[in-house]
């Protein structure tokens, strides 16, 4: 059956009348790839079912959360059971302690965790806590790392000799931008220089320990260890944004697989099992700074929501009881990597494939992709053709060259074989 967009297109037109751009998060509008976004009717396992009646293989997993595949039974059951008991109380529940205890037991180096409602909120709160704890204002972030849409992170590099950032969205004030210093991913010397130029002013470094928002970018040997050392020497905190990597790369996330300890860790995506959840965690001495114990304010009417906590408990319990899932996912991702690699290498076009665990990205450049600038060298015209070609073959990739794919455990080797065949069909016609 040929791939069609008729109903999706009509739904998008209707959506645009009442929702800005027709979407509630910009990447869904397909601006980076052009064309009409696909509207989803339902999903199960590794497959999305579109409003036009197509069944497509999903490589974004809702941008990560659906690591076990869509509509995973124990998660769905947990949500149903919780809903019958009421959907929110604004009072403490035992569920909150259960998920906290579980998360703390799975992740290295954290004693306590605070639940919020999104990754954005988690990162925003983590930075406030780091500032409150250190009594300092400035933060270091890396170009191309995404930490949600709060003001401090919507920053681009300053021009010329200016070392602090400037707003990259209207509405972010210059004052806010001045407290965020931009560095290039994998450039340790630059970070050392920033510390030297801003003595006793840096509250924290925030980083995606394995980056997933400029494609998948792997930290160079010694880079994270070097950041850890610089933080220790300068009295700054190291914040790992594990919204993507947490409970995806391993039970204990990037801290576990890299062996580098962070001071504050943020979570999101997988931890909510597909419901809106974020969290931030640290050792007790840092978390004690948080209200109501300490002076740093942070709150949320729906934080620790019983439906979300029930979904998260079901998700984390399953991962905790089946740690083989992480290796299995990495194995599937390797299989996909090798397949795409062999197809593209025969075609004689420039490409680079980055992979770490269950994260992978294909960049249409022959240079190593190690930071935002090198990721930006990818040929976007090729990416668009690749993306739309695969969609028409029933394969759903992230609709932007700056995003990683996220594999899920429901993907079969057959699905991966179908995907590689589709890549071959698509590039053959170029
Ligand atoms: C998705 C993401 C966020 C933001 O999470 P939201 O739930 O979309 O607010 C923050 N950091 C990283 C690394 C992410 O991938």
């Amino acid at each position: 059956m040929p791939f069609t967009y008729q109903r999706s297109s009509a739904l998008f037109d209707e959506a645009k009348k009442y929702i800005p751009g027709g979407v509630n998060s910009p990447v869904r509008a397909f601006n980076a790839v052009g064309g009409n976004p696909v509207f989803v009717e339902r999903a199960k396992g590794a497959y999305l079912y579109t409003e036009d009646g197509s069944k497509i293989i999903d490589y974004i997993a809702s941008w990560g959360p659906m690591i076990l595949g869509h509509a995973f039974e124990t998660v769905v059951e947990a949500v149903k059971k919780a809903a019958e008991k009421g959907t929110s109380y604004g009072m403490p529940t035992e569920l909150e302690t259960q998920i906290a205890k579980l998360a703390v037991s799975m992740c290295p180096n954290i004693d306590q965790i605070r639940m919020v409602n999104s990754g954005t909120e988690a990162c925003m709160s983590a930075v406030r806590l780091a500032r409150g704890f250190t009594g300092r204002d400035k933060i270091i972030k890396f170009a191309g790392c995404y930490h949600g849409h709060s003001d401090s992170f919507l920053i681009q590099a300053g021009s010329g000799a200016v070392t602090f950032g400037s707003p990259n969205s209207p509405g972010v004030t210059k004052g806010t931008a001045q407290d965020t210093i931009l560095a290039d991913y994998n450039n340790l010397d630059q970070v050392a220089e920033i510390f030297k130029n801003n003595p006793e002013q840096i509250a924290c470094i925030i980083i995606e320990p394995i980056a997933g928002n400029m494609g998948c970018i792997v930290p160079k040997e010694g880079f994270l260890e070097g950041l850890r050392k610089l933080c220790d020497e300068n009295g700054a905190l190291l914040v790992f944004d594990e919204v993507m990597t947490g409970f995806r790369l391993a039970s204990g996330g990037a801290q576990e697989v890299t062996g580098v300890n962070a001071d504050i860790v943020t979570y999101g995506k997988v931890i909510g099992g597909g419901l809106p959840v974020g969290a931030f965690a640290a050792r007790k001495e840092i978390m004690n700074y948080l209200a109501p114990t300490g002076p740093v304010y942070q709150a949320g009417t729906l934080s620790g929501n019983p439906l979300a906590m029930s979904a998260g408990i079901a998700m984390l319990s399953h991962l905790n009881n089946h740690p083989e899932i992480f290796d299995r996912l990495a194995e599937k991702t390797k299989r996909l990597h090798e397949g795409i690699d062999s197809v593209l290498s025969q075609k004689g076009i420039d490409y680079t494939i980055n992979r770490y665990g269950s994260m992978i990205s294909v960049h249409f450049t022959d240079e190593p992709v190690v930071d935002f600038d090198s990721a930006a060298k990818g040929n976007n015209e090729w990416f668009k053709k690749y993306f739309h070609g695969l969609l028409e073959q029933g394969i759903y990739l992230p609709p932007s060259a700056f995003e990683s794919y996220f594999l899920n455990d429901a993907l079969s080797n057959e699905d991966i074989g179908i995907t590689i065949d589709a890549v071959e069909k698509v590039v053959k016609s170029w």
Side-chain angles (χ1 to χ4, degrees), residues 217-266:
I217 293 188
V218 181
K220 285 184 181 160
E221 183 90 43
F223 178 58
L224 296 176
E225 291 81 355
L227 296 180
R228 175 71 272 170
K229 190 156 169 275
L230 283 171
C231 283
D232 291 341
E233 289 167 357
N234 291 282
L237 301 186
L238 182 60
V239 180
F240 272 6
D241 177 353
E242 295 225 42
V243 171
M244 233 166 214
T245 54
F247 309 102
R248 168 163 285 279
L249 298 181
S251 294
Q255 283 199 105
E256 179 182 325
V257 296
T258 65
V260 177
N261 284 344
D263 298 303
I264 305 178
V265 188
T266 62

Side-chain angles (χ1 to χ4, degrees), residues 196-319:
K196 221 169 93 190
N197 295 337
N198 298 271
E200 288 174 36
Q201 293 178 66
I202 310 290
C204 68
I205 297 178
I206 184 166
I207 186 167
E208 290 180 68
I210 284 85
N213 285 290
M214 40 184 167
C216 168
I217 293 188
V218 181
K220 285 184 181 160
E221 183 90 43
F223 178 58
L224 296 176
E225 291 81 355
L227 296 180
R228 175 71 272 170
K229 190 156 169 275
L230 283 171
C231 283
D232 291 341
E233 289 167 357
N234 291 282
L237 301 186
L238 182 60
V239 180
F240 272 6
D241 177 353
E242 295 225 42
V243 171
M244 233 166 214
T245 54
F247 309 102
R248 168 163 285 279
L249 298 181
S251 294
Q255 283 199 105
E256 179 182 325
V257 296
T258 65
V260 177
N261 284 344
D263 298 303
I264 305 178
V265 188
T266 62
Y267 298 99
K269 300 193 168 111
V270 175
I271 199 174
L275 274 82
V277 180
F280 59 106
R283 297 184 305 277
K284 223 180 213 150
E285 78 211 64
I286 298 174
M287 290 309 257
N288 277 343
Y289 265 69
L290 211 55
T293 322
V296 176
Y297 193 68
Q298 189 279 325
T301 301
L302 291 173
S303 296
N305 170 269
L307 295 196
M309 296 303 100
S310 299
I313 291 167
M315 172 66 85
L316 298 194
S317 302
H318 190 86
L319 293 171

Side-chain angles (χ1 to χ4, degrees), residues 173-206:
T173 66
K174 285 193 204 87
T176 296
Q178 292 195 359
D179 284 331
T180 300
I181 304 175
L182 262 293
D184 295 319
Y185 204 85
N186 274 322
N187 190 339
L188 194 57
D189 292 343
Q190 202 184 29
V191 179
E193 190 70 21
I194 292 170
F195 273 112
K196 221 169 93 190
N197 295 337
N198 298 271
E200 288 174 36
Q201 293 178 66
I202 310 290
C204 68
I205 297 178
I206 184 166

Side-chain angles (χ1 to χ4, degrees), residues 404-420:
S404 169
Y405 315 0
F406 301 102
L407 272 67
N408 71 76
D409 196 44
L411 280 165
S412 64
N413 284 335
E414 196 192 341
D415 294 325
I416 291 169
I418 291 170
T419 305
I420 295 164

Side-chain angles (χ1 to χ4, degrees), residues 71-355:
F72 192 75
E73 211 169 307
T74 58
V75 175
V76 172
E77 282 309 311
V79 173
K80 279 189 191 164
K81 243 174 79 184
E84 280 170 3
K85 297 185 186 174
T87 53
S88 181
Y89 319 115
M91 292 164 69
T93 62
E94 189 180 358
L95 295 169
E96 293 160 275
T97 311
Q98 282 172 2
I99 193 168
K101 200 168 162 184
L102 185 54
V104 164
S105 76
M106 289 170 78
C107 301
N109 192 41
I110 60 172
D111 300 322
Q112 294 193 332
I113 186 163
R114 168 69 56 89
M115 293 293 156
V116 293
N117 305 287
S118 68
T120 293
E121 229 186 299
C123 295
M124 177 187 82
S125 307
V127 164
R128 184 181 305 140
L129 179 57
R131 285 173 166 154
F133 184 78
T134 58
R136 300 174 177 182
D137 290 347
K138 292 192 190 303
I139 65 169
I140 299 175
K141 97 169 267 288
F142 295 92
C145 280
Y146 182 67
H147 306 295
H149 64 90
S150 88
D151 287 7
S152 296
F153 304 124
L154 296 184
I155 306 297
Q156 59 196 0
S159 56
V162 189
T163 59
F164 47 79
S166 64
N168 75 353
S169 164
V172 176
T173 66
K174 285 193 204 87
T176 296
Q178 292 195 359
D179 284 331
T180 300
I181 304 175
L182 262 293
D184 295 319
Y185 204 85
N186 274 322
N187 190 339
L188 194 57
D189 292 343
Q190 202 184 29
V191 179
E193 190 70 21
I194 292 170
F195 273 112
K196 221 169 93 190
N197 295 337
N198 298 271
E200 288 174 36
Q201 293 178 66
I202 310 290
C204 68
I205 297 178
I206 184 166
I207 186 167
E208 290 180 68
I210 284 85
N213 285 290
M214 40 184 167
C216 168
I217 293 188
V218 181
K220 285 184 181 160
E221 183 90 43
F223 178 58
L224 296 176
E225 291 81 355
L227 296 180
R228 175 71 272 170
K229 190 156 169 275
L230 283 171
C231 283
D232 291 341
E233 289 167 357
N234 291 282
L237 301 186
L238 182 60
V239 180
F240 272 6
D241 177 353
E242 295 225 42
V243 171
M244 233 166 214
T245 54
F247 309 102
R248 168 163 285 279
L249 298 181
S251 294
Q255 283 199 105
E256 179 182 325
V257 296
T258 65
V260 177
N261 284 344
D263 298 303
I264 305 178
V265 188
T266 62
Y267 298 99
K269 300 193 168 111
V270 175
I271 199 174
L275 274 82
V277 180
F280 59 106
R283 297 184 305 277
K284 223 180 213 150
E285 78 211 64
I286 298 174
M287 290 309 257
N288 277 343
Y289 265 69
L290 211 55
T293 322
V296 176
Y297 193 68
Q298 189 279 325
T301 301
L302 291 173
S303 296
N305 170 269
L307 295 196
M309 296 303 100
S310 299
I313 291 167
M315 172 66 85
L316 298 194
S317 302
H318 190 86
L319 293 171
N320 197 32
N321 296 333
H322 301 276
E324 72 279 5
I325 285 173
F326 300 107
D327 287 341
R328 195 155 68 206
L329 275 169
E331 192 50 46
K332 286 175 193 173
T333 312
K334 179 163 174 264
R335 182 183 284 256
L336 180 69
H337 183 162
E338 289 169 355
I340 297 176
D341 197 26
S342 91
V343 170
L344 293 182
S345 66
Q346 285 166 31
K347 188 68 190 173
I349 53 172
D350 294 340
Y351 72 96
T352 296
I353 302 175
N354 283 358
R355 168 172 62 95

